[in-house]
Every structure is written in structure tokens, then in C-alpha cells.
Amino acid sequence: MNYFEAMVLGLVQGLTEFLPISSSAHLSIVGQLLGSGDPGAAFTAISQLGTEAAVLVFFGRDIVRIITRWAQSLAGRVPRDDPDARMGWLVIIGSIPIGILGYTLQDWIETDLRSLWLTATMLLVFALVIYAADRFAARVQRPKEMRDITWRDGILYGLAQSLALIPGVSRSGGTIAAGLFMGYNRETAARYSFLLAIPAVVGSGLYQVLKISDNAVPPEWGQIWVATGIAFVVALAVIAWFMRYITTHTFTPFVIYRIGLALVLFALLGTGVLVA
């Protein structure tokens, strides 16, 4: 990977991480089109540190308040049912499924699950899932908000997030769809999805940093950190835009895009332009 390819992949990561269109799918496809091949699970996980840094900046006040109140609840200084303290526990509990599955299925995640045939299939299938969730949400008379998230819903969110281990599903797409099916409004589904991703993505990224540091062949750290930095800047703008967009728009454009991308990907694989 040269620096130009790293810059392009960082741009792609930043643009796609928080939209329900699967960043891992786009990195794999663009990597092959650039000629450098699938950048791999390690590069994907580390570059996501940049996009999660954008979440920490954008939701910084909320995150500091949640962590502070959660810590104070442990010390008995605030009630354990305090909304922010409770949100801290919900994020922890919701992160357990992807932590367990990510560790136990690590070998599959880095090999078989990165097949572009599977990626194309998931792009198509979850386009229909997101469309159904969006239509369901439109019929909910009184959508639920952040304060309404229950322990059961937190676990269901976490299970939905774990589907993102399969490229093509989309972390935000899976969790937002789950939230809509559970009756939450779009903004709440997206906001909790972004907060929930922090422990899993940061943990995965740091794990991969340590893992590839021991490689016999030294990693291309310069290119990796360039991609991560670009991903941060772009993702910050995307989050701001996306949170405004979903207050007045449906997910239909993303559904159409996913279906179109899946069909193009099937064609490229069928003609041998891309290798699965």
C-alpha cells in the first residue's frame, strides 16, 4: 500500500463508517480496484480508530457526562437509576455480544467472512432489512427515545451490532434497523448505535495494533496512520451531516445504494474483475 492508496482508503473509511452502507465492504472493494487488494481486517479495525475518535469529539459532552455519572453511581454519589449512569451500563452490556463473538470467531472474520460473494449478499439482504425497519418505524405512533432504552433492548442492540462482524451488514445499519424495529426514533437509534460502537471498535483497533506489531514483516505504520487521520476528519463531517439528515429523511436512498452496489459487485465478481 502506498500513501495515495492509504489516503483513498482513509477517505472511504471516513465516508462510509457511519452511513448504513458498510465501510468494510467498501474498503475491500476499493482496495481491489486500486490494485493493492483487500486491506484486511487489521487495517479496517485500526483505521476505525480514526472514525471512533470523531465520535468521541462529536458526542464528547455526552460521553464525559455518561462516564462521570456512571463512575459516581459506583461510588454511591448518584442514584444507580440515574439516566446517564444507566446509559453507561447499557453501553457496557450492549458491547458484550460483539466482544465475545469477535474474539471467538476471529479466524473466520479475518478469512472466510471477508469473501466478496458473502459481502454482496449481505449488502442486498440488509438493504431489505433496513427498508422494512424504516417502513415499520413510519407507522409507530409514539417512537421511543434514549431514556426509554431497557436492558432487554440494550442486549438486542448489542446482538444486532455483532452482525457487523460480517462485511456488508454495516454496524450502523444493523443497530439502527434493530432500534427502528424496537420502536425507537431514527435519531435515538443512530445516537445509541454510535455510542455503543465505541468500546467494541476501540478495543478491536487497539488489539490489532498490538497484534500486527509482532509481525515478522513490519507494518506500514506511516500509511496506516495517514488513513486513520483522514478517516477522523471526514467522519467528523459525516456524523454532523447524518444526524441532521435523519431527523427529516428516511433511509431509502441508502437502501437503493446498497442494492445497486450489491448488483454491481455480483457483476464484477461474475466477470472476474474482482476476486472473491
Side-chain angles (χ1 to χ4, degrees), residues 183-199:
Y184 291 91
N185 61 45
R186 294 189 185 93
E187 185 178 3
T188 294
R191 184 179 291 268
Y192 183 62
S193 170
F194 294 165
L195 294 175
L196 183 62
I198 294 173

Side-chain angles (χ1 to χ4, degrees), residues 14-32:
L15 285 171
T16 59
E17 174 66 19
F18 299 112
L19 303 181
I21 55 177
S22 180
S23 61
S24 55
H26 282 77
L27 287 176
S28 182
I29 295 167
V30 173
Q32 285 209 40

Side-chain angles (χ1 to χ4, degrees), residues 41-60:
F43 176 87
T44 300
I46 295 172
S47 64
Q48 285 176 337
L49 290 174
T51 52
E52 285 311 303
V55 173
L56 294 175
V57 171
F58 189 85
F59 295 107

Side-chain angles (χ1 to χ4, degrees), residues 16 47 56 58-59 65 94 124 135 146 168 252 258:
T16 59
S47 64
L56 294 175
F58 189 85
F59 295 107
R65 188 182 66 251
L124 183 58
R135 298 287 78 77
M146 289 286 281
T252 300
R258 288 179 66 106

Side-chain angles (χ1 to χ4, degrees), residues 228-252:
T228 303
I230 291 175
F232 164 72
V233 175
V234 176
L236 195 56
V238 170
I239 294 172
W241 173 81
F242 186 64
M243 293 304 294
R244 290 195 304 270
Y245 174 87
I246 60 176
T247 59
T248 55
H249 297 77
T250 69
F251 291 107
T252 300

Side-chain angles (χ1 to χ4, degrees), residues 254-270:
F254 302 111
V255 170
I256 295 172
Y257 176 82
R258 288 179 66 106
I259 293 173
L261 180 61
L263 296 178
V264 169
L265 186 51
F266 279 128
L268 293 175
L269 289 169

Side-chain angles (χ1 to χ4, degrees), residues 57-99:
V57 171
F58 189 85
F59 295 107
R61 290 184 179 179
D62 292 341
I63 293 170
V64 169
R65 188 182 66 251
I66 290 169
I67 293 175
T68 301
R69 301 291 282 182
W70 176 79
Q72 289 175 337
S73 73
L74 292 179
R77 295 170 58 187
V78 300
R80 292 184 180 272
D81 60 352
D82 175 85
D84 290 319
R86 187 166 163 276
M87 179 56 62
W89 285 114
L90 285 168
V91 170
I92 292 171
I93 292 173
S95 301
I96 293 174
I98 196 171

